Amino acid sequence: MKNKRVVVGLSGGVDSSVCAYLLKEQGYEVIGIFMRNWHDESVVLNNECPWIDDSNDAMLVAEKLEIPFHVLDLSREYKERIVDYMFSEYENGRTPNPDVLCNREIKFDIFLDAAMRLNADYVATGHYCQRTETTENGKTTFHLLAGADKNKDQSYFLCQLSQEQLSKALFPIGHLQKSEVRAIATEQQLVTADKKDSQGLCFVGKISLPDFLQQQLQPKKGRIVEIPTVLEQYLVPVTTEPQSENDIFRSASQPYSYSYDMGKDKGEHNGAHYYTIGQRKGLGVGGSPEPLFIIGTDVKENVVYVGQGETHPGLNRLGLRIPAADIHWIREDLALSEGQTLRCEARIRYRQLLEAVTLKVINGDLYLLFDNKQRGIAPGQFAAFYVGEELVGSGVIS
């Protein structure tokens, strides 16, 4: 029987290198492709992850493993689908996660299509997550599970994948610890064995976010206003007193509302669109007994609202809402209908510990009510929900 063909996204890092090695050892016909998605190094810090070095390392790994190697330039698509999205979200006062979109729109869409044109059966990446499948009544369901290495689990970044995309995906190192991956790379004398993990924006590297955003979003001086903790009347969501379960979900999920006259002027910022809820660094304002955290931004009025300390009421909320159009179920068979609830766990950012939560659909929208208050819930973030080890769905926070 003809060996199945797998196209591996060789990034020039140790994870994808070992990914390719393991697949070849398992008998697959392996092709390595390096995705060149970014050209501008002017905003990359410390020359980390320059694409030319990564490309060379990927090529050396392919030569070592004796597999075909190609470079695929997707910079135009990356700009249109990821970078432009990022600029637009920040401009509208939202907090984007370009890495989540990169997996949905680039690696498992455009890159997947390119692999299929090479008659591949699968694409593979070096993500620390696992994929299993079950078949019942002739229908196969694919399951996206957390990686075995809990310190490296990257399932969150794949929270927008579909059943169709998962059916073509392989994650060969998901069952391994990072230390085991490095040991395999050392044993096989791969040039990437001791290479540092990449940081920062997917395919771009560790960036200066203000410099990056200023490529499109011009600085605009505005005021920083501190909201005192004691102003409880301003920190209660704008809603009626909860009377029903639905009202409790809605009330907990309603973002807080502030105005300039609620607090004390603390200084000047360079543009509300550069900041996000929960952010601590980058304000350039001191002199407070406790650290200042951003608790709200108003891009129309160009005001940044801050509060003192990690326990400030404006920084912590019990709930969030995902509009109907932004709900995504990986496990379509678990999708909630109107009025249904689901007890599970969720996270709103990578590396956050999973938190107990109740999901409920109200008027088509999905509401999440956590057992414990969550810090820095911001519009534009992705909330991902898990049943046990399985990531079953996600959505964009309103």
Side-chain angles (χ1 to χ4, degrees):
M1 185 178 75
K2 174 180 173 295
N3 290 345
K4 288 190 177 291
R5 177 176 291 180
V6 183
V7 170
V8 177
L10 277 182
S11 67
V14 64
D15 298 328
S16 62
S17 302
V18 172
C19 171
Y21 164 74
L22 291 175
L23 289 169
K24 188 177 179 186
E25 286 295 294
Q26 292 165 17
Y28 288 100
E29 178 190 350
V30 180
I31 299 172
I33 293 184
F34 177 84
M35 284 175 274
R36 182 184 179 188
N37 289 353
W38 189 250
H39 300 282
D40 182 5
E41 296 178 16
S42 64
V43 294
V44 178
L45 298 179
N46 304 322
N47 289 323
E48 289 189 19
C49 298
W51 75 267
I52 196 161
D53 291 342
D54 289 341
S55 177
N56 287 338
D57 288 343
M59 180 176 65
L60 290 172
V61 168
E63 289 178 355
K64 176 73 174 177
L65 297 179
E66 298 181 336
I67 62 174
F69 176 73
H70 306 279
V71 175
L72 183 63
D73 192 326
L74 299 176
S75 55
R76 179 178 60 82
E77 293 89 345
Y78 185 81
K79 179 187 179 301
E80 291 174 353
R81 297 199 187 191
I82 310 302
V83 176
D84 289 351
Y85 147 81
M86 187 175 173
F87 285 138
S88 176
E89 288 287 89
Y90 272 105
E91 186 175 24
N92 288 296
R94 293 163 60 86
T95 302
N97 191 311
D99 290 336
V100 172
L101 261 292
C102 183
N103 284 305
R104 188 185 79 186
E105 300 288 332
I106 303 296
K107 293 177 183 175
F108 292 95
D109 187 359
I110 299 171
F111 180 71
L112 175 60
D113 288 344
M116 294 301 106
R117 289 195 294 273
L118 292 174
N119 297 317
D121 297 286
Y122 302 102
V123 296
T125 65
H127 283 101
Y128 284 86
C129 61
Q130 304 176 81
R131 188 206 74 160
T132 61
E133 58 184 83
T134 55
T135 302
E136 186 174 345
N137 297 324
K139 182 180 179 181
T140 300
T141 300
F142 297 93
H143 310 270
L144 178 62
L145 308 180
D149 188 334
K150 298 309 175 190
N151 290 321
K152 294 294 294 182
D153 172 36
Q154 294 173 309
S155 57
Y156 174 80
F157 290 132
L158 303 172
C159 69
Q160 287 278 293
L161 295 193
S162 66
Q163 284 289 304
E164 177 63 23
Q165 289 169 316
L166 275 178
S167 74
K168 301 293 184 182
L170 295 178
F171 308 111
I173 65 170
H175 65 292
L176 299 173
Q177 301 293 308
K178 181 73 179 196
S179 57
E180 294 176 296
V181 170
R182 288 208 181 273
I184 292 171
T186 300
E187 181 183 303
Q188 298 304 315
Q189 299 181 328
L190 300 180
V191 68
T192 55
D194 297 319
K195 190 172 181 178
K196 288 183 179 180
D197 290 344
S198 61
Q199 293 182 316
L201 180 59
C202 180
F203 289 117
V204 176
K206 195 170 183 179
I207 64 170
S208 167
L209 186 58
D211 289 347
F212 190 75
L213 293 176
Q214 284 178 31
Q215 289 184 340
Q216 294 290 329
L217 307 180
Q218 295 302 312
K220 183 181 178 184
K221 298 293 184 182
R223 306 313 297 173
I224 300 170
V225 176
E226 180 184 346
I227 302 296
T229 307
V230 296
L231 291 182
E232 294 296 333
Q233 67 267 36
Y234 299 125
L235 298 172
V236 175
V238 182
T239 183
T240 57
E241 190 69 23
Q243 298 294 325
S244 67
E245 182 180 82
N246 284 1
D247 287 332
I248 292 172
F249 275 87
R250 289 194 187 99
S251 176
S253 304
Q254 182 71 32
Y256 297 112
S257 178
Y258 311 102
S259 65
Y260 188 87
D261 58 3
M262 291 180 185
K264 179 172 61 176
D265 194 298
K266 294 290 289 186
E268 191 175 64
H269 62 75
N270 288 322
H273 45 256
Y274 295 148
Y275 302 96
T276 184
I277 295 172
Q279 183 176 334
R280 174 181 171 183
K281 298 180 179 179
L283 277 172
V285 176
S288 300
E290 293 188 75
L292 290 174
F293 291 86
I294 295 175
I295 61 173
T297 62
D298 184 339
V299 293
K300 290 183 179 178
E301 299 297 326
N302 198 30
V303 179
V304 171
Y305 295 100
V306 299
Q308 282 192 44
E310 295 187 10
T311 60
H312 192 288
L315 190 63
N316 302 281
R317 282 167 47 197
L318 275 173
L320 61 88
R321 181 180 74 94
I322 298 171
D326 293 323
I327 303 170
H328 173 75
W329 293 98
I330 296 176
R331 284 288 304 278
E332 296 163 350
D333 55 313
L334 297 181
L336 299 179
S337 299
E338 182 65 32
Q340 286 188 317
T341 61
L342 174 68
R343 278 292 287 175
C344 59
E345 294 180 300
R347 58 167 54 105
I348 59 172
R349 60 179 65 88
Y350 176 53
R351 288 194 178 280
Q352 181 194 20
L353 294 177
L354 288 172
E355 298 278 351
V357 69
T358 302
L359 277 57
K360 185 172 187 179
V361 174
I362 304 173
N363 293 332
D365 298 337
L366 183 65
Y367 288 80
L368 277 66
L369 184 64
F370 290 92
D371 289 10
N372 301 301
K373 288 185 176 181
Q374 302 299 300
R375 174 175 149 182
I377 295 175
Q381 289 175 313
F382 287 90
F385 9 106
Y386 293 72
V387 174
E389 293 289 297
E390 184 177 2
L391 201 170
V392 299
S394 66
V396 185
I397 301 170
S398 67

